[in-house]
Amino acid sequence: MDTQWKVAGTYFEACNCEAACPCVFTSPPTDGDCKALIGWHIDQGMFAGTALDGLNTALFAYAPGHMLETKWKVALYVDERADAQQTDALTKIFSGAAGGHLSALTPLIGEVLGVRSAAIDYRLDGKQRSLTIPQVAQMEIEAMAGQGGEDVTLSGIPFTPVPGYPTVACRSKRLSFHDHGFDLEISRKNGFYSPFSYQA
């Protein structure tokens, strides 16, 4: 696509792997498969003249084995506050259809379970992040305490939805996902958060 666009803000994710998730180092998942929920909050965004500031999206991804060797199932949730033009823009950006970094993930996707608008409550509180989609998902993570109480950060990891930024290693307080036949309720597993920036 030739459309000019750019979005920037914050992101976080949680999955069922032990912390830190080996998938980001292109290793197999700790439990045979990887079920991940990713959330994004756009602080500043523009798609072909349409402003996207303040909107949220979320993506559930299921890889039945090694993330680079199996086909994923994914479901995309787009902020219900978005109007028709914003919804179209968010769907194109976060599905990878608009190009940019996320388009590199599309060859890994075997099935799109669904794309729909939803109420997405995305919150930042110090070293904690949370996301809620009513009747569908809840995700809460908190940064691990490293040496001297500092954050544990990873930079230059080879496989990430957010390139170009060091990521903070976290543990989940909760990861709950109930949609498309999945029934996930876990805690004390992996999480990451960082800024993000994507563009055409």
Side-chain angles (χ1 to χ4, degrees):
M1 294 181 67
D2 296 328
T3 305
Q4 290 301 303
W5 60 268
K6 183 174 183 178
V7 289
T10 61
Y11 118 100
F12 75 100
E13 66 176 288
C15 72
N16 63 306
C17 287
E18 297 292 343
C21 171
C23 301
V24 301
F25 304 107
T26 69
S27 297
T30 56
D31 291 323
D33 62 12
C34 197
K35 304 177 186 81
L37 185 64
I38 306 170
W40 293 269
H41 174 77
I42 299 170
D43 290 321
Q44 299 95 29
M46 188 69 70
F47 184 95
T50 297
L52 303 174
D53 299 12
L55 297 174
N56 304 317
T57 59
L59 180 75
F60 175 77
Y62 168 68
H66 193 299
M67 295 196 87
L68 296 177
E69 298 173 2
T70 56
K71 291 294 186 183
W72 306 1
K73 294 181 179 182
V74 299
L76 181 64
Y77 301 87
V78 177
D79 201 319
E80 69 175 12
R81 297 173 300 159
D83 64 22
Q85 284 184 311
Q86 292 171 323
T87 297
D88 180 63
L90 292 173
T91 301
K92 286 175 177 173
I93 291 169
F94 290 94
S95 70
H101 174 70
L102 293 179
S103 68
L105 302 181
T106 54
L108 301 172
I109 296 171
E111 182 181 355
V112 177
L113 300 170
V115 179
R116 69 179 175 91
S117 294
I120 304 172
D121 182 36
Y122 181 113
R123 300 193 179 195
L124 287 73
D125 181 12
K127 296 177 183 291
Q128 301 182 34
R129 305 286 185 273
S130 68
L131 181 145
T132 303
I133 303 174
Q135 285 79 55
V136 173
Q138 278 193 293
M139 174 169 56
E140 294 179 67
I141 67 170
E142 184 171 13
M144 293 184 202
Q147 296 181 41
E150 295 296 316
D151 291 342
V152 179
T153 59
L154 303 170
S155 60
I157 52 179
F159 186 61
T160 173
V162 180
Y165 295 93
T167 190
V168 176
C170 301
R171 279 200 176 86
S172 62
K173 292 184 172 183
R174 183 181 186 190
L175 173 57
S176 168
F177 182 79
H178 303 278
D179 205 1
H180 301 291
F182 289 91
D183 191 23
L184 184 63
E185 282 283 355
I186 64 168
S187 61
R188 301 291 297 166
K189 298 295 185 178
N190 178 74
F192 295 117
Y193 69 72
S194 77
F196 83 93
S197 178
Y198 305 140
Q199 61 186 21

